[in-house]
Amino acid sequence: MNVNRFFIGVISGCLLSLFLPIVPELLWLIFLLALILTCMYYRLLFFTGLCCALSLWLWQVQQHQTQSTQLLAWPEPWLKGQVVSISQQDPEFSRFLWQISEGPQQGYLVRVRWQQAPALLGQGQDWWFKLRCKAVRAPANPGSVHVEANAYVLGIIGNCVVKDALVLDVEWDHRQQLYQRLQQKIGNLPSFSLITAFTLGERPFSDELWLGLQATALGHLISISGFHIGLLFGWVYGLMLGVATLHINLLWCRKAAAFIALTAAWYYSLLAGFAIPTLRALLALALAVYLLQQHRRLSYSQSWLLVCGLLLLLNPLWVMSISFWLTLYAVALIFLFVWRYPLQDRSLSGVIIHGLKFQAVMTLLMSAPTLLFFHGVAPLALLSNLIFVPWCSFLVIPYLLIALLLELVLPAEMLWHWQLADLLLAPLQHWLLAGASMQYWWLLPAQTAFSALCIALLLLAVFFLPAAVPKHRIALLSLPFILLLWPKTPQWQLHLIDVGQGTAVLLQKGDRGLLYDVGPVYGSFNATEAYVLPYLHYQGIRQLDYLVLSHADTDHTGAFAEVLKAYPKLQLIADFDTGFSQRPCLSLPERYLDAELWAFRSLTQSGEGNNSSCVLAITTAGWQSLLTGDIGHSVEAELLMSRPDLKTDLLVLGHHGSKSSSQLDFLSRVKPLLALNSAAAHNAYGHPSAEVLGRLALLQIPLLNTAEQGAIRIEKTEQQLHIWPYRQQPLPFWLQKP
């Protein structure tokens, strides 16, 4: 019981760190250490654990920030390190993780981009790199990875570009050799991406497969995680116990079963690149093996607290990982199920029914965190998991690991074992593609952490309360949550999507929308696929009616063809040649649903430059928004001459806040209540300019900029505007400032 209090304190301290507004100075570590000694003296184990967690968290965060600051302070340092991930190849760049092996930053990672990298580049190689680095920062949109938090979890201290290089050791490690061999040998198989996902943790998925994973709720099955590591451990452990029964001379297999199974789990983790979920599973399994050897039995609650507490003591920064808490939540559900519904009928039919019941309960109870983090549920989740979790657990994953072992011993030209694997994966492949094509994903009202917790507790009560508790009382408790989740009348929303140095604005009502620009494209990278399309899917846009391309600059047109592919029925609006069926800016209708539209394009500008931008005024629920593209001061004056009474409530600054736009006269005439700007953090152009900031300050117009706020969502009702800047919402609080 005392140990439980300590680990509850550890968990509480790690959770408390998420709500701290700032990172305290390192001197606070002395105070925390003194508190630890005091609490230990008085045997206050809860507070001892809490202070231990906060001390370790403070030390790791301060070290991470210090080493990142030092790295960024050097102009172009030469550093020695090792490639620790399989590189992602783009037409112009190779991207990979690189671990520094010497100097004060030893052990930390940097995310590297290398233009025209050599073909021999691979995981396991040692290099001297001359690097130009910048801080880890990326556009922040709901539904996407919290890049800054993820950098702390993984130990990444910078994003770097290779300026010069010297190879020290060209040998690939075992994982890279296997991946290269499989790519050359079976890269043309339809299920190649699924094979590499299950065996090596690499997921070169198409957009269709990613959508299929969302629509079928099978993402947990494809990514190598604790489930896969634990599954392999169980298979090998059971196999060794079975072998021990064959002959008396094989009794040693019983004693060695746990260690052999742990070794197999370690090898699987090695193949997965020792991803964090696999490391957590390995540590938990190692603890279980230790307790087994010591003949110590713990209750389910003690086991959960022990695993969770020890993992957070090893790395308190894992508290920022969503996957960490999803895993612990799933483990807690498994323990609850085994406690509440023990297996009593051990016949084949009884085991099958019990397994189906388990899968159904797990799928339903995992819907609460899905609703919290992804604002929706997949109706196909239950059916998908009932079919493909057993299919993959009992057939696909064991066979793929056997096929991988065969690959190591069979002649290189042999293909039959992979062709059979392709046949086994064909049903899953077809199911994912079918789910993507039908867009099986239900968007539900966004939930707070509190409401999602209440929903989870209600579901837990339904399934795990003793049978003596009247079920009708639980049904009455569910009524408030039914009202909470009941679809509400859709309101108009304006979204300024964070695409970095570019523009993308979404006007949404329900599942329909109008998109104004699609973000930038830089070389092989385009924000349209990286940010805009995922944002549209996340917000539940099923019907995109119009795509307005303001002008021809690539920071506005991006990869607009991908939007046309995703929404083939939309109408493209552009005043330059796109190569697709299109209509001019001024052909936009005056009404879109119940919104009023007014389009303007300069009559004096005949080219495709900034001043040819299509300006769009939108009136919804009595509020007006003005999207100005990249127009300069001359077209601003022309716009005012065309419509002298022009006023707006929301103004998206022209040309990302450039000093050549948003002139004082223009701002004072249109009188916006709020200015919005789309620009990248620390961009090379200095947007928004000091001049524009001065004009806004003079007129007392507040500004929200995606560089600081991330994506900005504004809901319009007849009474007021509800504004949600994304970076002011996610935890941890101390990471919200740029």
Side-chain angles (χ1 to χ4, degrees), residues 168-393:
L168 300 175
D169 184 0
V170 297
E171 288 295 322
W172 290 340
D173 66 8
H174 180 58
R175 183 169 182 259
Q176 178 73 52
Q177 292 175 8
L178 275 177
Y179 181 78
Q180 203 72 15
R181 182 170 176 174
L182 292 180
Q183 190 176 44
Q184 294 175 357
K185 189 172 182 178
I186 60 171
N188 59 343
L189 288 180
S191 62
F192 170 73
S193 57
L194 292 177
I195 290 174
T196 56
F198 278 116
T199 55
L200 299 174
E202 290 294 313
R203 294 173 289 175
F205 292 163
S206 63
D207 292 339
E208 289 78 10
L209 275 182
W210 283 115
L211 286 175
L213 288 172
Q214 181 193 48
T216 58
L218 289 176
H220 68 96
L221 193 61
I222 301 301
S223 177
I224 295 180
S225 60
F227 167 76
H228 302 76
I229 303 299
L231 183 66
L232 178 64
F233 180 89
W235 276 112
V236 175
Y237 187 76
L239 178 64
M240 295 304 296
L241 293 181
V243 170
T245 63
L246 297 178
H247 194 274
I248 191 171
N249 292 333
L250 297 175
L251 287 178
W252 63 270
C253 292
R254 178 180 294 275
K255 295 182 179 180
F259 297 103
I260 294 175
L262 190 61
T263 302
W266 172 86
Y267 180 68
Y268 198 10
S269 300
L270 170 70
L271 293 179
F274 287 116
I276 287 180
T278 65
L279 288 177
R280 293 196 294 254
L282 268 183
L283 292 171
L285 287 173
L287 176 63
V289 170
Y290 171 77
L291 293 175
L292 182 66
Q293 295 302 313
Q294 297 298 314
H295 303 288
R296 297 187 61 180
R297 295 181 62 86
L298 300 177
S299 67
Y300 293 130
S301 60
Q302 288 175 324
S303 300
W304 189 90
L305 285 173
L306 181 62
V307 170
C308 182
L310 284 177
L311 290 176
L312 288 176
L313 277 179
L314 288 170
N315 190 346
L317 299 182
W318 281 346
V319 74
M320 295 188 289
S321 169
I322 292 176
S323 67
F324 175 76
W325 292 108
L326 287 177
T327 301
L328 289 176
Y329 176 65
V331 171
L333 293 182
I334 294 171
F335 285 165
L336 278 172
F337 184 88
V338 174
W339 164 75
R340 181 66 181 83
Y341 302 106
L343 178 61
Q344 296 176 343
D345 183 0
R346 298 185 178 275
S347 65
L348 179 60
S349 60
V351 170
I352 292 175
I353 293 173
H354 192 74
L356 293 175
K357 183 178 181 180
F358 167 77
Q359 194 58 59
V361 170
M362 287 292 294
T363 301
L364 291 174
L365 290 176
M366 288 301 293
S367 63
T370 302
L371 185 62
L372 172 62
F373 295 121
F374 305 109
H375 292 189
V377 294
L380 290 177
L382 181 58
L383 182 60
S384 298
N385 282 276
L386 284 175
I387 295 174
F388 288 103
V389 168
W391 177 263
C392 293
S393 301

Side-chain angles (χ1 to χ4, degrees), residues 125-154:
Q125 293 179 338
D126 293 321
W127 288 84
W128 277 100
F129 281 153
K130 183 181 181 182
L131 301 172
R132 179 180 296 168
C133 300
K134 60 181 181 180
V136 175
R137 194 163 179 85
N141 296 291
S144 61
V145 175
H146 193 329
V147 173
E148 290 85 351
N150 194 50
Y152 278 89
V153 173
L154 296 176

Side-chain angles (χ1 to χ4, degrees), residues 53-64:
L54 287 176
S55 301
L56 291 170
W57 169 83
L58 177 58
W59 172 257
Q60 291 197 23
V61 171
Q62 285 285 359
Q63 285 297 303
H64 188 283

Side-chain angles (χ1 to χ4, degrees), residues 208 211-212 215-216 380 430-441:
E208 289 78 10
L211 286 175
T216 58
L380 290 177
H430 293 316
W431 183 255
L432 295 177
L433 293 178
S437 63
M438 298 300 292
Q439 296 185 356
Y440 283 124
W441 176 254

Side-chain angles (χ1 to χ4, degrees), residues 154-174:
L154 296 176
I156 299 173
I157 58 174
N159 290 332
C160 303
V161 176
V162 176
K163 308 304 293 184
D164 201 356
L166 177 65
V167 65
L168 300 175
D169 184 0
V170 297
E171 288 295 322
W172 290 340
D173 66 8
H174 180 58

